[in-house]
Amino acid sequence: MTQEEKKIINDAIRDIPDFPKPGIIFKDITTLLNDKDAYGVLMNHLAKRYKSYDLDFIAGIDARGFIFGAALAQMLGCGFVPIRKKGKLPYTTISEKYSLEYGFDEVEIHIDAFRDIKNAKVLLIDDLIATGGTANAAASLINKTGAKCEEACFILGLNFLDGQDKLKKQTKVYTLIGID
Ligand code: AMP
């Protein structure tokens, strides 16, 4: 990706200070999604990168990972699998807990999410990686079903947290734009 393309994507993402609580700068991707040119630059880049991976599925993290993941799955001609917050999936699930600053959260996947494809090759995608708790739990879930998380992809990564380094212990990590 050229620096110019990276700038188009970065400029289309809006910073919302103190949301959802004081001290957090929320990276708002709705202004990227409603900008057809910037959204197109991003999706074309991802499709080009992952064309050669021969993926079977894209797994998206609830909820913003669904937007990029489902679009990319169609561009690459593979299936899409949602990884959801606890209690949202209707069929039998397996789940994984992860720690938050206070307490814990839990993500789930359908037990048959990757159909009957042996060692399915899966790309995990979300909009942003911060502490890496959600993505680590999601990658573990993919691998627990018998599929293989080939790589985890993020539009944005918070470099001042160690989320990306922690995740690299279980899968490859690709972050388009690092935030220092
Ligand atoms: P974490 O588990 O700490 O890596 O948090 C990642 C999840 O929280 C992703 O699904 C993000 O969409 C969301 N998230 C965390 N921090 C931010 C932020 N500053 N701006 C937007 N989304 C965030």
Side-chain angles (χ1 to χ4, degrees):
M1 158 159 289
T2 64
Q3 286 307 315
E4 195 189 333
E5 286 173 324
K6 213 174 251 195
K7 188 174 177 334
I8 290 170
I9 295 167
N10 204 15
D11 287 352
I13 297 168
R14 175 165 63 180
D15 283 358
I16 310 285
D18 300 320
F19 182 89
K21 54 185 183 184
I24 304 283
I25 298 175
F26 191 87
K27 306 300 283 191
D28 178 15
I29 51 114
T30 64
T31 43
L32 166 71
L33 297 172
N34 70 11
D35 177 340
K36 66 178 167 49
D37 297 328
Y39 190 21
V41 167
L42 171 67
M43 294 314 301
N44 286 329
H45 167 70
L46 294 179
K48 199 166 140 200
R49 174 179 175 83
Y50 289 110
K51 202 165 54 178
S52 61
Y53 276 56
D54 195 25
L55 296 164
D56 296 303
F57 296 93
I58 313 282
I61 297 178
D62 198 344
R64 290 181 291 273
F66 296 172
I67 301 163
F68 303 107
L72 184 60
Q74 276 297 298
M75 289 172 93
L76 294 176
C78 55
F80 175 76
V81 169
I83 294 180
R84 299 216 64 183
K85 295 281 164 61
K86 190 177 171 57
K88 301 285 186 189
L89 289 171
Y91 186 59
T92 311
T93 58
I94 51 174
S95 64
E96 186 83 18
K97 283 185 184 168
Y98 58 97
S99 304
L100 299 173
E101 200 177 352
Y102 300 104
F104 67 88
D105 216 335
E106 200 164 349
V107 281
E108 294 185 323
I109 194 168
H110 273 152
I111 194 126
D112 59 353
F114 302 112
R115 306 177 73 94
D116 51 6
I117 297 173
K118 293 265 172 294
N119 304 313
K121 291 167 84 170
V122 182
L123 173 74
L124 177 65
I125 192 162
D126 202 0
D127 63 334
L128 180 147
I129 181 165
T131 67
T134 322
N136 254 301
S140 298
L141 278 183
I142 292 167
N143 293 334
K144 272 188 188 171
T145 64
K148 168 115 199 321
C149 183
E150 293 284 327
E151 186 162 298
C153 170
F154 305 92
I155 318 307
L156 299 161
L158 305 187
N159 291 340
F160 50 88
L161 298 173
D162 63 354
Q164 293 165 90
D165 290 335
K166 279 195 289 185
L167 186 59
K168 277 178 191 159
K169 290 178 185 151
Q170 69 164 329
T171 189
K172 285 190 282 171
V173 177
Y174 177 64
T175 304
L176 210 65
I177 297 165
I179 299 161
D180 295 320

